[in-house]
Amino acid sequence: MIHPEQSLSLEVRKRPSRIHENIVDRLYLCGVYLFLTVCLIIVAYPLIYIVSSSFSSSSAVISGKVWLLPVEPTLRGYKAVFQNPQIVTGYSNSLFYLFFGTLLSVILTITAAYPLSRKSFYGRNVITALFIFTMLFNGGLIPYYLTVKGMGMLDTRWAMIIPGAISVWQVILARTFFQTSIPSELTEAAHLDGCSDFKFLLRIVIPLSKPIIAVLVLMYAIGYWNSYFEALIFLKSAKLYPLQLILRNILILNSIDPTMVKDVKELADRQGLKELLKYSLIIVASAPVLILYPFVQQHFVKGLLIGSLKG
Amino acid sequence: MSIALKMVKKNWQLYMIILPSLIYLIIFKYVPMVGVQIAFKNYVVTKGIWGSDWIGFKHFVDFFHLPIFWRVIKNTALLSLYSLLVGFPAPIILALALNELKNGIFKRTVQLVTFAPYFISTVIMVSIIMLFLSPELGFVHILADKFGFPAENVMSKPAYFKTVYVLSDVWQFTGYASVIYIAALAGVDPHLYEAAKVDGATRFQRMRHIDWPSLRPTAVILLILNAGQIMNVGFEKVYLMQNAINVGASEVISTYVYKMGLVGANFSFSAAVGLFNSIVNLLLLIVVNYVARKNSETSLW
Amino acid sequence: MGSKRTGRTWVSAVLIVFIAMFAIGCTSNSEVPAGSSTSPSGTGSTGGGADFNATGFPIVKNKIEMSAFAPQSANIADLNTNWFTKYLEGKTNIHLNWQLVPGETAALNEKKQLLLASGDYPDIFMQGNLTKEEQLLYGQQGVLLPLNKLIDQYAPNIKQAFKDIPYLEKAITAPDGNIYAIPSVNECYHCQFSAKMWVNTKWLQKLGLSAPKTTDDFYNMLKAFKEKDPNGNGKADEIALTGSPTGWHTDVESFIMNAFVYYNADNNYFMMNGGKLGTSVDQPGFKKGLQFLNKLYAEGLIDKEAFTQKSDALSQKGNSPDVAIAGAIPAGWFGEFTDASPTATRHKDYDPIAPLTGPDGISFTPHYIGIGNSVFAVTNKNKNPEAAIRLADYLYSDEGTTLSNFGEEGRNWVKAEATDKNTRGTAAKFKVKETSYGVGQVQNDHWNQMGPGLRSSEYRETAYTASQDIYSMDGLETRLYKATKELYEGHQPKEEFPTDIFLTNEQANQVKQLKPIITDYVKQSMLQFIMGAKSIDKDWDAYVKGLKDSGMDQFIQIYQDAYDKMNKKK
């Protein structure tokens, strides 16, 4: 780990007057606030547009009347989404896959990353290379499908959790975290005290790794929540479908090919709803994860390593 | 090899720990890799992977001989590089800025809000882009008008394609990408800041000497990983933003292969294209990793 | 660790892995489906067995199961418990095991490819969206069974359809003479002439103009729209002509270009003369058309965004609050550019106009005909292909089509009363009740147009009721029918190149390479000429040369060959 005190001491040790220091710092802080506020507005505005559109009437949406606040507020879009009986199934399935999938993924990722972060781990480079190789090359869709089929997982819940369990990207990130945040002195001290690798991992490393675990949980949770592709290729029964698949179906329901229409009234009625639905669907689909985020945020708090060096 | 055996015995617990993920890797990543041979075969369903005939490099040759092959490669590479150039520093800057604040409501709000666009589907994203850039109805032009710039149809200018693509990516993904850097910064010992303050360092200096070095390993690794994805420009967004006028600048490998209708029935050809992409990515990865290893303490291997 | 040792261990590790991979790969041969490859089974061989009824119902004496591929429609609650599924099972004694895939076309295609390629496909495809190329490819590989003999022996309704609809049989017969899949016939009359131009007739009235007949009239009309403030709000906010490249025939070029040369962008810009195939886009008429469009654009009569905006942006202009701002918009139906919900009124301001007559007296409209992709096919895994074809045949009957699309008599539809009229204005046969649809509503009574069926134009226009008030939403079908019949019918060229053409694999591959290049080149050049980036006078020759260089001649030759072959057979 880097020892910033050392690098600082090599720098010019300015000891400006207290007033000067405060002004420079204050300006910098002001600049930061300004920058972040601008970011906030730039990002927030289109989001507000989306939320407002989802609550506006379809005619307001198609005529471009919506700019900031909902126009002719209505819950029609949401009704159309929630009326669909498959929605409840979709939500519960997605929650299931999210929970168990994330659990499995985080465990597998940490158990892969930790040994790879230890310099003394024999064969470390080879195994790392094996992991990285899979990020670049894969056998293609058909062999993947056939493998899952061969494991008997087709059309089961396992297919949504196991085949995609490890993201090598995350393994590398976790490994980097372990490499930079678990000081070697700590490891050595533990070994001297007779602590086994298992115990060290469980009792010391993991409690210290809250930030990276939080990141892993978040990233994997999002991945499982958004999963569409695995459901598409591996599932056949509607009762196993996750939310994303069902939501997409609803969207298509309302964008009908006009040549296929037999009752044009149906087409006409759906025309406006389709526009409205686009926005309601985003809200419905992303709400749970956006709610999860603040809980995870708590763990991005500084200072978790205090006491480890001293203890 | 007795030294090797000794090392294995010493680390046996670590091997046990890593075993489940290795098993996963072999079953779900390496076993399917056998199927990559269809890139060298003429795959027929009823003959299966093993029964289909070998045709060597024919698919690759066909691919290279496609009329607009070079243009497509160039567009793909340029788009990726441009994305990397602009999109790589953005989350770092955001994380560093956020790190200056205490954990108040403003900080948490900014984090949440910048994170949210990640969930917008590509289709909506593109329609928002087009809405905002519209010469008549668009927000951007109303602003530009006030400053005296003429209303232009940005989407009809091939030269702007890559810029619009990259900037909208930055808008959508920076918040999400900054999470890993925020987490890395969370691992910094606050005593270091105390010590630095005592030494008279300004915020900017503290950022330069404490925050940035803590982020650097993660940043370097991510840079290397991104280098290994250069040929993988996604299909959906480019396809939606493409139109007849900008197609010269916007045709990338994925959209061209899609338009050729080769995504479906011609698996062998798609496999060959995929393999080609992977090899280029691998070469880039090796080069960037080598450079990183020579110039910093961090590298992928 | 010394680098030599690392190197050695690296190599041995990799070797071990690769050997293991091949070993595992060699042993698992699960991908080859049983009884496939060479001879496709069941081409009407055993006659179906003792259990099978060649005529009458049920189709088999003892219940059999058949796995069927179908999209999961969001509108259907559950195909397994669906009324029509159960009715069908009761009638035919065939139990359908649905293999459902997501309804979105791209997802459906991807799943279908995957199932076919991995050998994991079901007994029949009920709604498989099978392209001609897929039919040929999988037919020749033995995955899809040839249906000719089966149709001949057991499918009287399908045979009758071949007689009634002259282009049908040829359109679905592959070059090797086999029929591998059956389509769902849906002859939408107004769709065939869907390059319609909708004009704001309220504005015409206000300005005292009549519907334009020639290109000059059209030009004058657009100018008046732009300059004379027809929406009366004192602002010069009128957009004379707008469109979008992504909607249903909402592109600006098609309608107008057909006053100079026959122009059909959906059919590769082909035009036919004396059995010889050519292209519209290098003709002198095409050049004149571009000059006209360029003039319109240069004078600000065409919306600057018309060539880039997506349909939702187009809709926003058509739905402008308070007053209309769009004068003329091309579209298959007005829902492409304006609100079509029951309470909408803006659409009443717009009416279609007849195809324009150009300076050389040309007045075409593109004719969009074709069967498209087929839906029903029988695979080589099916143990009862005769029963399968009889099932499809039932769906082609009047009763089958009606029940499958509309549901149960009494509950979903009733027999029409004496005064009920259909689209043509003559007596209708039945009347659909509202219970089948409601926005976002899910029903479980019928299959909602899924699967094979025979909805010929005869059926569509005479069987069920349609309101005669053309400006109401109920009368939409009538409105489109009338406009098509009165204004557009007759403007199609005498000779047309068919859209349902089978290509051999070799030809298909070449087409795959050439088509995107040619299409992109033509589209881009057209826009450059229209928008003035290139000069029509100076750069025309270079454009024609560029067309040759993109492989246009080769492209035409391929289709000419396929056409000649198709016509020689019969």
Side-chain angles (χ1 to χ4, degrees):
Chain A
M1 197 165 107
I2 301 156
H3 297 285
E5 301 100 323
Q6 293 174 335
S7 56
L8 263 183
S9 61
L10 293 172
E11 293 291 315
V12 172
R13 280 200 201 186
K14 262 204 295 202
R15 286 190 192 267
S17 68
R18 291 198 78 205
I19 305 171
H20 187 225
E21 179 190 82
N22 281 345
I23 293 181
V24 166
D25 266 0
R26 285 246 180 87
L27 275 179
Y28 185 70
L29 195 59
C30 264
V32 168
Y33 269 104
L34 190 63
F35 170 69
L36 287 177
T37 310
V38 170
C39 284
L40 186 62
I41 296 179
I42 296 181
V43 176
Y45 176 65
L47 293 178
I48 296 177
Y49 174 80
I50 294 177
V51 175
S52 291
S53 296
S54 74
F55 285 106
S56 305
S57 75
S58 43
S59 49
V61 172
I62 12 179
S63 59
K65 275 197 227 170
V66 183
W67 276 113
L68 191 64
L69 292 171
V71 175
E72 293 160 18
T74 169
L75 287 176
R76 195 167 171 236
Y78 290 98
K79 248 174 57 180
V81 173
F82 285 108
Q83 249 175 13
N84 194 305
Q86 300 166 339
I87 278 277
V88 177
T89 329
Y91 252 103
S92 51
N93 281 335
S94 288
L95 282 172
F96 180 90
Y97 301 139
L98 183 147
F99 183 73
F100 288 104
T102 308
L103 191 63
L104 180 67
S105 291
V106 173
I107 293 178
L108 283 180
T109 305
I110 293 187
T111 55
Y114 176 68
L116 292 179
S117 70
R118 292 273 296 273
K119 285 211 175 64
S120 62
F121 183 49
Y122 188 68
R124 174 176 175 244
N125 279 338
V126 173
I127 300 185
T128 306
L130 281 181
F131 271 91
I132 296 179
F133 192 73
T134 69
M135 257 196 337
L136 297 161
F137 293 91
N138 64 70
L141 185 56
I142 301 175
Y144 185 48
Y145 179 80
L146 290 173
T147 306
V148 173
K149 180 176 171 199
M151 302 284 298
M153 286 186 195
L154 277 191
D155 209 26
T156 65
R157 288 188 190 276
W158 298 116
M160 293 298 293
I161 298 177
I162 299 187
I166 300 189
S167 154
V168 177
W169 192 280
Q170 307 289 1
V171 170
I172 302 290
L173 285 182
R175 184 196 75 161
T176 310
F177 180 87
F178 289 138
Q179 277 172 325
T180 53
S181 311
I182 312 286
S184 46
E185 300 92 20
L186 194 59
T187 319
E188 281 161 23
H191 274 142
L192 282 174
D193 280 348
C195 181
S196 72
D197 284 324
F198 280 136
K199 267 214 213 122
F200 186 64
L201 177 62
L202 273 174
R203 297 267 169 80
I204 301 184
V205 175
I206 294 197
L208 286 182
S209 309
K210 288 223 176 71
I212 193 65
I213 295 183
V215 171
L216 290 178
V217 166
L218 189 65
M219 300 296 174
Y220 278 121
I222 295 177
Y224 281 106
W225 183 256
N226 284 348
S227 70
Y228 171 75
F229 189 68
E230 285 76 20
L232 176 67
I233 55 176
F234 296 134
L235 295 182
K236 294 177 195 173
S237 321
K239 60 176 164 48
L240 294 177
Y241 279 5
L243 190 63
Q244 296 295 333
L245 218 51
I246 293 175
L247 292 182
R248 281 224 189 178
N249 262 355
I250 297 182
L251 195 56
I252 319 152
L253 164 71
N254 292 282
S255 19
I256 289 202
D257 176 4
T259 60
M260 286 283 286
V261 173
K262 44 194 207 288
D263 183 339
V264 192
K265 220 166 59 131
E266 161 200 357
L267 172 66
D269 215 3
R270 286 186 178 151
Q271 187 71 16
L273 188 62
K274 162 188 162 196
E275 288 304 310
L276 189 54
L277 267 188
K278 284 198 305 204
Y279 300 102
S280 319
L281 282 179
I282 298 183
I283 310 285
V284 169
S286 49
V289 187
L290 287 174
I291 297 176
L292 172 69
Y293 185 67
F295 290 104
V296 170
Q297 252 185 345
Q298 291 171 21
H299 297 280
F300 298 154
V301 167
K302 303 187 218 195
L304 291 170
L305 279 182
I306 310 175
S308 65
L309 281 174
K310 313 209 171 127
Chain B
M1 289 264 276
S2 63
I3 301 181
L5 266 177
K6 239 205 206 153
M7 297 292 271
V8 170
K9 264 174 73 180
K10 182 168 167 228
N11 286 331
W12 77 272
Q13 288 190 10
L14 289 179
Y15 285 108
M16 287 278 93
I17 293 176
I18 204 175
L19 191 63
S21 47
L22 275 181
I23 295 178
Y24 164 88
L25 205 69
I26 294 181
I27 297 181
F28 291 101
K29 302 279 184 197
Y30 279 100
V31 167
M33 259 197 230
V34 177
V36 84
Q37 52 183 289
I38 68 172
F40 300 99
K41 285 187 167 190
N42 195 11
Y43 181 66
V44 167
V45 176
T46 40
K47 292 190 195 163
I49 297 181
W50 299 96
S52 299
D53 312 314
W54 290 95
I55 52 170
F57 284 96
K58 179 162 182 298
H59 290 306
F60 292 91
V61 171
D62 285 345
F63 181 48
F64 297 146
H65 280 146
L66 288 180
I68 57 171
F69 175 74
W70 286 111
R71 176 145 55 98
V72 159
I73 298 281
K74 184 177 120 189
N75 282 337
T76 308
L78 282 180
L79 199 57
S80 284
L81 282 172
Y82 194 175
S83 285
L84 203 57
L85 205 64
V86 178
F88 184 73
I92 299 178
I93 297 176
L94 182 64
L96 287 173
L98 280 171
N99 196 48
E100 294 294 324
L101 308 182
K102 293 203 185 57
N103 275 328
I105 297 222
F106 182 65
K107 178 175 180 180
R108 290 223 287 253
T109 310
V110 174
Q111 270 186 276
L112 185 61
V113 169
T114 52
F115 182 70
Y118 176 72
F119 297 95
I120 301 178
S121 66
T122 313
V123 175
I124 300 281
M125 188 66 214
V126 174
S127 59
I128 292 181
I129 294 174
M130 302 195 75
L131 182 67
F132 279 41
L133 289 176
S134 150
E136 263 133 60
L137 301 175
F139 194 54
V140 175
H141 286 281
I142 295 177
L143 274 183
D145 242 1
K146 296 227 186 323
F147 286 104
F149 290 110
E152 274 188 36
N153 188 358
V154 174
M155 292 306 289
S156 68
K157 302 246 182 304
Y160 290 151
F161 176 79
K162 297 189 173 69
T163 306
V164 174
Y165 182 92
V166 169
L167 289 182
S168 53
D169 261 7
V170 168
W171 182 89
Q172 196 175 7
F173 299 118
T174 299
Y176 175 81
S178 67
V179 167
I180 181 64
Y181 294 115
I182 296 175
L185 285 172
V188 172
D189 185 353
H191 289 168
L192 291 174
Y193 293 114
E194 304 291 326
K197 261 197 226 169
V198 165
D199 276 351
T202 64
R203 278 184 182 270
F204 184 68
Q205 282 174 325
R206 293 202 289 270
M207 193 259 296
R208 259 189 74 197
H209 296 290
I210 303 177
D211 295 342
W212 172 238
S214 316
L215 283 184
R216 207 171 46 208
T218 308
V220 171
I221 292 286
L222 280 176
L223 185 65
I224 302 176
L225 288 178
N226 275 313
Q229 299 289 315
I230 291 229
M231 296 305 275
N232 295 351
V233 174
F235 158 79
E236 210 177 356
K237 187 170 179 188
V238 177
Y239 186 68
L240 289 171
M241 286 177 66
Q242 236 179 31
N243 56 49
I245 313 182
N246 66 23
V247 78
S250 60
E251 194 81 281
V252 293
I253 297 180
S254 50
T255 53
Y256 186 60
V257 171
Y258 176 79
K259 277 167 150 180
M260 288 178 72
L262 288 172
V263 183
N266 204 333
F267 297 100
S268 298
F269 189 88
S270 311
V273 175
L275 195 56
F276 169 76
N277 281 351
S278 298
I279 294 179
V280 175
N281 282 337
L282 178 63
L283 291 174
L284 283 167
L285 189 78
I286 293 179
V287 167
V288 179
N289 189 60
Y290 180 74
V291 171
R293 203 169 41 195
K294 287 285 175 212
N295 290 320
S296 74
E297 328 162 330
T298 332
S299 63
L300 215 46
W301 72 82
Chain C
M1 266 183 276
S3 53
K4 260 207 214 138
R5 209 165 269 150
T6 331
R8 243 190 279 154
T9 36
W10 219 122
V11 171
S12 37
V14 172
L15 271 180
I16 293 176
V17 171
F18 271 96
I19 293 175
M21 270 165 44
F22 273 97
I24 299 175
C26 278
T27 48
S28 66
N29 244 331
S30 51
E31 59 271 2
V32 182
S36 53
S37 36
T38 43
S39 51
S41 53
T43 2
S45 41
T46 57
D51 213 23
F52 172 70
N53 288 328
T55 56
F57 294 95
I59 294 180
V60 279
K61 294 197 182 74
N62 295 313
K63 191 167 282 213
I64 57 171
E65 299 211 345
M66 229 184 258
S67 52
F69 176 99
Q72 168 81 40
S73 162
N75 169 260
I76 299 180
D78 185 356
L79 263 179
N80 291 307
T81 56
N82 185 284
W83 173 82
F84 183 67
T85 308
K86 288 200 152 29
Y87 175 85
L88 193 63
E89 180 172 339
K91 193 171 174 92
T92 61
N93 238 356
I94 300 176
H95 176 82
L96 293 169
N97 273 330
W98 293 108
Q99 266 199 18
L100 298 175
V101 298
E104 190 188 358
T105 319
L108 186 146
N109 283 334
E110 202 161 350
K111 192 72 196 269
K112 170 187 49 165
Q113 298 290 356
L114 189 59
L115 293 180
L116 282 168
S118 59
D120 218 12
Y121 45 86
D123 294 323
I124 58 169
F125 283 88
M126 187 62 84
Q127 173 90 15
N129 195 33
L130 296 158
T131 65
K132 300 215 166 20
E133 193 184 340
E134 285 166 353
Q135 292 170 38
L136 193 57
L137 183 69
Y138 292 110
Q140 287 178 335
Q141 289 187 9
V143 173
L144 300 178
L145 301 180
L147 302 172
N148 313 48
K149 282 218 193 86
L150 289 170
I151 293 176
D152 202 46
Q153 287 178 297
Y154 306 112
N157 290 312
I158 300 180
K159 275 206 321 201
Q160 186 63 37
F162 283 168
K163 287 210 190 70
D164 294 334
I165 303 175
Y167 59 83
L168 181 58
E169 191 175 3
K170 230 198 274 193
I172 59 175
T173 307
D176 60 7
N178 289 325
I179 295 177
Y180 291 111
I182 300 182
S184 178
V185 177
N186 186 11
E187 289 190 316
C188 168
Y189 176 59
H190 70 85
C191 307
Q192 295 174 9
F193 299 95
S194 45
K196 297 190 168 72
M197 178 66 74
W198 298 77
V199 169
N200 193 327
T201 36
K202 223 162 115 189
W203 287 7
L204 286 180
Q205 281 166 4
K206 182 137 192 273
L207 298 172
L209 297 168
S210 52
K213 296 230 170 17
T214 66
T215 45
D216 286 333
D217 292 340
F218 191 69
Y219 169 73
N220 289 326
M221 176 190 84
L222 293 181
K223 262 193 96 105
F225 280 167
K226 184 155 166 70
E227 295 164 0
K228 303 223 172 102
D229 190 29
N231 68 12
N233 66 355
K235 284 193 270 185
D237 57 354
E238 287 82 358
I239 302 176
L241 173 63
T242 183
S244 161
T246 60
W248 184 32
H249 294 139
T250 50
D251 62 290
V252 165
E253 312 93 67
S254 292
F255 181 82
I256 296 177
M257 187 57 82
N258 272 289
F260 296 89
V261 70
Y262 180 65
Y263 175 82
N264 187 338
D266 283 15
N267 197 10
N268 297 316
Y269 312 111
F270 285 157
M271 51 183 234
M272 198 105 200
N273 223 333
K276 204 155 153 13
L277 180 61
T279 180
S280 322
V281 298
D282 58 10
Q283 304 292 316
F286 187 70
K287 184 175 178 187
K288 287 205 191 128
L290 286 177
Q291 283 167 328
F292 182 71
L293 282 163
N294 171 246
K295 178 166 155 196
L296 295 182
Y297 187 82
E299 297 191 23
L301 300 173
I302 302 183
D303 183 6
K304 275 204 271 266
E305 287 186 286
F307 304 107
T308 53
Q309 65 187 353
K310 301 253 188 284
S311 5
D312 50 358
L314 179 63
S315 286
Q316 284 202 352
K317 291 181 180 159
N319 285 311
S320 50
D322 309 320
V323 284
I325 56 172
I329 310 181
W333 76 299
F334 56 79
E336 294 290 317
F337 59 84
T338 188
D339 190 4
S341 54
T343 50
T345 52
R346 178 65 59 78
H347 68 89
K348 298 186 189 177
D349 295 351
Y350 290 89
D351 289 300
I353 56 172
L356 300 170
T357 308
D360 296 330
I362 296 182
S363 178
F364 284 124
T365 190
H367 198 200
Y368 304 115
I369 43 163
I371 288 289
N373 294 336
S374 290
V375 296
F376 181 86
V378 182
T379 68
N380 63 352
K381 282 195 186 173
N382 195 326
K383 298 194 184 52
N384 303 285
E386 304 81 11
I389 202 71
R390 284 213 62 208
L391 184 68
D393 189 63
Y394 171 67
L395 293 170
Y396 255 59
S397 69
D398 240 10
E399 177 188 308
T401 298
T402 305
L403 296 181
S404 166
N405 286 299
F406 294 103
E408 191 180 7
E409 176 167 9
R411 197 153 53 104
N412 303 105
W413 57 273
V414 290
K415 290 224 171 34
E417 285 145 46
T419 49
D420 285 328
K421 299 220 190 301
N422 55 30
T423 325
R424 291 192 187 165
T426 59
K429 292 200 195 118
F430 62 89
K431 187 171 161 141
V432 181
K433 289 168 90 164
E434 305 263 314
T435 52
S436 307
Y437 318 97
V439 180
Q441 226 180 58
V442 168
Q443 55 85 21
N444 213 19
D445 302 323
H446 56 83
W447 284 4
N448 202 22
Q449 307 189 70
M450 195 265 299
L454 186 58
R455 279 173 291 146
S456 59
S457 42
E458 182 73 30
Y459 181 83
R460 280 181 67 129
E461 291 155 19
T462 58
Y464 45 89
T465 57
S467 165
Q468 304 296 303
D469 172 9
I470 63 173
Y471 287 106
S472 73
M473 272 313 160
D474 277 338
L476 179 53
E477 192 88 55
T478 315
R479 181 174 179 183
L480 293 170
Y481 174 79
K482 275 180 128 177
T484 310
K485 194 149 186 69
E486 290 163 18
L487 301 172
Y488 287 81
E489 168 87 64
H491 285 264
Q492 69 270 34
K494 303 270 181 304
E495 255 189 285
E496 295 178 70
F497 191 73
T499 51
D500 291 303
I501 260 219
F502 274 88
L503 300 172
T504 64
N505 281 329
E506 175 72 36
Q507 289 170 327
N509 276 330
Q510 287 180 312
V511 162
K512 266 193 241 180
Q513 289 192 14
L514 293 171
K515 184 165 165 152
I517 299 175
I518 294 177
T519 314
D520 281 347
Y521 179 73
V522 171
K523 276 198 205 156
Q524 199 172 30
S525 305
M526 280 180 73
L527 293 187
Q528 285 168 332
F529 284 134
I530 297 175
M531 293 167 77
K534 284 214 172 109
S535 149
I536 299 179
D537 300 314
K538 288 193 230 143
D539 302 317
W540 175 259
D541 293 325
Y543 157 72
V544 173
K545 177 166 185 310
L547 201 57
K548 279 200 165 13
D549 291 340
S550 333
M552 179 57 99
D553 295 328
Q554 201 188 346
F555 190 69
I556 294 180
Q557 191 60 45
I558 293 174
Y559 277 99
Q560 179 82 61
D561 291 340
Y563 177 77
D564 292 336
K565 185 158 182 223
M566 197 173 88
N567 283 327
K568 266 202 214 107
K569 260 190 331 214
K570 301 292 172 188

